[in-house]
Amino acid sequence: MSASAVFAIGVTEENKNLHLIEIPRRAVGPNDVHIDIEYCGMCHSDLHHCRQEWGETKKPSVPGHEIVGRVTAVGSAVTKFKVGDAAGVGCFVDSCRTCAECKDDLIQYCEKGVIGTYGNKTADAPGHTLGGYSQAIVVDQDYVLRIPDNLDLAAAAPLLCAGITVWSPMKHYGVKAGSKVAVLGLGGLGHMAVKFAKAFGAHVTVLSRSPSKSKEALDLGAENVLITSDDAAFKAAARSFDFIVDTVSAEHDLAAYLSLLKTDGTHILVGGSPVPFDLPAFALIMKRIKVGGSLVGGIKETQEMLDFCGQTGIVSEIELVKAGYAEKAWERMLKSDVKFRFVLDIKGSLNKETVVDI
Amino acid sequence: MSTTVYAIGVTEENKNLHLIQIPRRAVGPNDVHIAIEYCGMCHSDLHHCRQEWGETKKPSVPGHEIVGKVTAVGSSVNKFKIGDAVGVGCFVDSCRTCPECKDHLIQYCANGVVGTYGAKTADAPGHTLGGYSQSIVVDQNYVLSIPSNLSLDAAAPLLCAGITVWSPMKHYGVKAGSKVAVLGLGGLGHMAVKFAKAFGAHVTVLSRSPSKSKEALDLGAENVLITSDATAFKAAARSFDFIVDTVSAEHDLASYLSLLRTDGTHILVGGSPDPFKLPAFALIPKRIKVGGSLVGGIKETQEMLDFCGKNNIVSEIELVKAGYAEKAWERMLKSDVKFRFVVDIKGSLGKDTVVDV
């Protein structure tokens, strides 16, 4: 299949809001898979990127790294996929492939710098990668994932970033059956942390400032909700948890939660908070606790997660929206006004007529 | 029967270390009576007595790197006999029933471990009194056996400085081939270098200036990285599996994290008084962790001592008389010691002791 132009929504130098543009997609090379995108999840990172919050980006900026769709063409050397397969693309489309991290399925930690699905340098026009808020994408087969047939495609999309972002550290740091897990933040990441922890047989408590999300928390499988503004309840919960999964990307006082951990507990940090945390030495020393970060997940690991989801029927809770709603969805995302992830209906609404309302 | 012995400590009337007398309990069925020969000087002793960690009960007698000889044992004691070379570290009791105590993690006892000094006890005067004294009486379960081939005075610092770095290095996984960076070359840091080398790890000492380079290499470090050398520091990015951070003064922890590889661990054992600033993005892009640790349990401390016996590892010390205690503390604050002061209790603590200030 030769190079093509497709419709997408993104931002440009001339127009800082998401709007309809056309972008190039490369010809299908021997190792490539061409995917017609059906749905794309909306991640906070998409917004940070396009609104220049993490620095100036190359234009046009087309975000989206929770991509699902159908394979419509494969290159001559492709063995892993065939036309018609349900496929997904997450946060990466390439990596150096030779460093120790790449060889160890830790591509997200690639020493030379993994190639993100959007905003990273590439040989393809226009010189930087363009993401999944678009009609199609061409990706090397080694970076494409198989979506189990029994999963609803739209609801599976957020697994590719939100899902793997909590799955990976929960596995790595040792969440297992019987673990006592506290989830901080009940958004795209947090709600997946609740689902996975429950599926692992752990006991899950959701930490929340107010009771407004209590019903949802329990419906997702949490056993308890701890209202953090309730001093007496918070104090009584000291030394209760083996893990805190901290998904909060806004500024917050990490150290305030460490009292909830047991001896040898772990505070897993996956939220990209912009302001450094204050961390007192004694908070860590007195209980031998650790604060550990994690960044999405490698391809093999993401496929394991997807296969587990296929076996257990786990997908995300989503609100499916039209492409024209993208900016409004972002505004609501900033207010955490979504249960629990927006997904763009690319197939059903991204085309030459699309107008993004602002 | 209970006794009265000489010690040096601080009181309400006199805030400097000076000669006092303190009670020691009678030897109970499970107790071991130890005539103290040497006691190491730990920074904690100073923080405690100078009220830096809050107001302490008086008299305050510090010292939790205690070595000496058993001079009496209670009727139920089966682990020690008269004449044994023994030690007492940071704890003299714990609740014994919580999961931590049952798991040899007494230092994390859920009900509060009983420290060798300054902790509540039924013995007079109501709080524990430490090893800057002529003797101590301790339950056999909290006494350690010192291997006979080790020089007693040089073994004393193993009981706090040694175990404080041994425990997390084992727990967090330092092993043969690990790349370890040691930050701070004092009592804790020099033991970290010795142990890491003994484990077969590759050790680099991180230092602001070249002044300790020779000592670092003599201790077994393969390299010294001068942290003020921006070029060298940059070239060392992603080099280490572990950083053992022993610095108890204020410092910028986050600035060292670039030195860690993917999945690296920054082990924190220095009790820095001010919170660190930790950016989320320092931890997330390399899946690295910052983990604390507090001394070690009795079983673990004994394992360390036995390892030291087999490998002839002790501390590098400067032996001082009891009368030099305050001056030693002043030098300790300036890191002017290679690498731990040890008080010659047997040789210099008696009724005529005068502590120079």
Side-chain angles (χ1 to χ4, degrees), chain A residues 131-148:
Chain A
Y133 288 21
S134 60
Q135 291 177 311
I137 192 166
V138 177
V139 181
D140 184 300
Q141 65 168 341
D142 290 338
Y143 300 84
V144 178
L145 296 138
R146 221 172 19 261
I147 309 292

Side-chain angles (χ1 to χ4, degrees), chain A residues 102-161:
Chain A
C102 281
K103 288 183 183 300
D104 219 10
D105 192 44
L106 294 172
I107 64 162
Q108 71 271 38
Y109 307 114
C110 170
E111 234 183 274
K112 300 187 174 52
V114 70
I115 306 296
T117 303
Y118 55 83
N120 280 167
K121 197 170 165 151
T122 175
D124 302 339
H128 59 277
T129 49
L130 302 165
Y133 288 21
S134 60
Q135 291 177 311
I137 192 166
V138 177
V139 181
D140 184 300
Q141 65 168 341
D142 290 338
Y143 300 84
V144 178
L145 296 138
R146 221 172 19 261
I147 309 292
D149 292 324
N150 59 313
L151 297 182
D152 178 82
L153 262 193
L159 296 172
L160 295 163
C161 179

Side-chain angles (χ1 to χ4, degrees), chain B residues 7 26 58 114 186 327 340:
Chain B
K58 311 292 191 303
V114 181
K327 289 188 189 290
R340 199 69 155 181

Side-chain angles (χ1 to χ4, degrees), chain B residues 8-342:
Chain B
I8 52 176
V10 306
T11 52
E12 284 302 341
E13 304 78 27
N14 184 348
K15 312 290 187 198
N16 290 328
L17 292 170
H18 60 285
L19 188 70
I20 59 175
Q21 284 193 306
I22 59 166
R24 288 299 190 196
R25 69 174 183 246
V27 173
N30 294 303
D31 286 339
V32 174
H33 183 288
I34 302 164
I36 298 175
E37 300 206 0
Y38 304 99
C39 187
M41 297 184 119
C42 175
H43 245 117
S44 305
D45 301 343
L46 187 153
H47 291 310
H48 179 82
C49 286
R50 292 196 179 174
Q51 315 297 298
E52 286 168 18
W53 287 344
E55 209 183 319
T56 66
K57 300 255 188 286
K58 311 292 191 303
S60 295
V61 175
H64 52 206
E65 293 183 343
I66 304 166
V67 295
K69 295 283 166 75
V70 176
T71 47
V73 295
S75 53
S76 303
V77 169
N78 48 13
K79 299 183 183 188
F80 301 97
K81 58 187 194 305
I82 293 175
D84 282 350
V86 292
V88 178
C90 300
F91 316 110
V92 292
D93 210 342
S94 63
C95 88
R96 313 188 193 204
T97 55
C98 71
E100 280 80 358
C101 281
K102 288 185 181 301
D103 218 10
H104 301 290
L105 296 172
I106 64 162
Q107 71 271 38
Y108 306 115
C109 170
N111 299 312
V113 69
V114 181
T116 303
Y117 56 82
K120 194 169 164 152
T121 175
D123 303 338
H127 59 277
T128 49
L129 303 164
Y132 289 21
S133 59
Q134 290 177 310
S135 68
I136 192 166
V137 176
V138 182
D139 182 298
Q140 65 169 342
N141 290 304
Y142 300 85
V143 177
L144 296 137
S145 176
I146 308 292
S148 52
N149 61 311
L150 297 181
S151 174
L152 262 193
D153 55 356
L158 296 173
L159 295 164
C160 179
I163 190 60
T164 294
V165 293
W166 169 280
S167 182
M169 284 165 63
K170 284 276 183 180
H171 176 70
Y172 288 110
V174 174
K175 52 189 200 288
S178 296
K179 303 272 186 70
V180 179
V182 177
L183 183 61
L185 198 63
L188 269 58
H190 95 286
M191 290 313 307
V193 174
K194 289 191 179 221
F195 284 142
K197 181 155 170 72
F199 295 164
H202 302 282
V203 187
T204 293
V205 167
L206 307 178
S207 185
R208 263 170 310 180
S209 80
S211 62
K212 292 188 178 178
S213 295
K214 184 185 179 305
E215 285 88 353
L217 298 171
D218 288 344
L219 287 165
E222 291 176 5
N223 284 308
V224 178
L225 172 60
I226 306 301
T227 53
S228 50
D229 178 346
T231 311
F233 196 88
K234 207 164 169 191
R238 295 179 87 137
S239 298
F240 300 104
D241 301 301
F242 299 92
I243 295 170
V244 184
D245 184 349
T246 71
V247 175
S248 56
E250 191 180 345
H251 61 291
D252 184 14
L253 185 153
S255 68
Y256 298 98
L257 298 179
S258 63
L259 300 176
L260 285 173
R261 295 168 148 179
T262 301
D263 285 337
T265 307
H266 189 107
I267 296 173
L268 189 64
V269 288
S272 181
D274 294 321
F276 299 111
K277 290 273 181 221
L278 188 61
F281 287 107
L283 299 183
I284 288 173
K286 289 191 293 183
R287 197 164 66 182
I288 58 185
K289 49 201 175 293
V290 178
S293 184
L294 180 67
V295 297
I298 296 298
K299 182 162 172 280
E300 186 173 34
T301 305
Q302 191 62 65
E303 283 167 9
M304 173 200 68
L305 289 167
D306 295 342
F307 179 90
C308 288
K310 290 202 189 72
N311 293 280
N312 270 303
I313 294 174
V314 287
S315 301
E316 306 298 312
I317 69 165
E318 182 175 329
L319 191 62
V320 298
K321 293 193 187 314
Y324 192 72
E326 279 280 348
K327 289 188 189 290
W329 278 12
E330 286 308 313
R331 285 179 51 202
M332 193 164 71
L333 282 173
K334 299 193 207 98
S335 298
D336 177 23
V337 55
K338 299 201 172 93
F339 284 97
R340 199 69 155 181
F341 287 111
V342 174

